[in-house]
Amino acid sequence: MTPFGRRVRELREQRGITLAQMAEGLGVTSAYLSALEHGKRGRPTFTLIQGAIHLLGVIWDEADELVRLADLSHPRVVIDTAGLDSEATLFANRLSREIASLRLEDLDRLGAVLDEAERRRGA
């Protein structure tokens, strides 16, 4: 499941909207919406994101969160390490190989490292 798919499902269920109702409101099939929620489809289009925001009746902060999560929800990621240090290539390849066996705690720790790097960059 992608971060966007998980959040859409949570919001949809909180509001008592079925998958079929939301799919109809977005003009997509239930199968497509289910695949999107489960990370079996690529990143949603801007139009679909805006439709979901409207159908779910989310406020500004939640809308911004959905847009951000959609951007981070491509289920097949490519990491280009060309021009970077060999350690970056080594790390990217090891992560690709091992990510399926990492526990949630491991992912949280790696995420904290990335959050710290982002803070240092001033982003």
Side-chain angles (χ1 to χ4, degrees):
M1 185 171 276
T2 65
F4 176 80
R6 183 182 63 233
R7 187 65 181 135
V8 166
R9 177 184 256 180
E10 289 169 357
L11 292 168
R12 183 174 59 70
E13 290 175 348
Q14 287 171 5
R15 287 157 173 77
I17 301 170
T18 67
L19 182 78
Q21 290 168 330
M22 185 155 177
E24 182 179 338
L26 293 172
V28 298
T29 66
S30 295
Y32 173 82
L33 185 57
S34 177
L36 185 64
E37 285 186 358
H38 287 92
K40 293 180 171 59
R41 298 295 288 191
R43 228 174 301 173
T45 65
F46 180 76
T47 302
L48 191 131
I49 297 165
Q50 293 304 308
I53 288 168
H54 175 72
L55 279 172
L56 295 168
V58 297
I59 59 174
W60 289 104
D61 288 346
E62 287 176 322
D64 287 344
E65 177 194 21
L66 282 178
V67 170
R68 183 182 66 79
L69 290 176
D71 185 50
L72 297 172
S73 288
H74 199 296
R76 297 193 192 288
V77 178
V78 175
I79 301 175
D80 182 0
T81 62
L84 300 179
D85 190 80
S86 64
E87 289 299 313
T89 301
L90 175 63
F91 182 80
N93 279 280
R94 288 185 64 202
L95 180 60
S96 173
R97 186 175 307 138
E98 301 296 331
I99 195 161
S101 65
L102 294 176
R103 296 174 309 196
L104 186 56
E105 308 87 63
D106 300 328
L107 296 172
D108 286 343
R109 286 196 319 266
L110 289 170
V113 170
L114 295 174
D115 290 344
E116 178 58 31
E118 188 175 27
R119 277 191 290 279
R120 282 195 313 265
R121 263 196 339 265

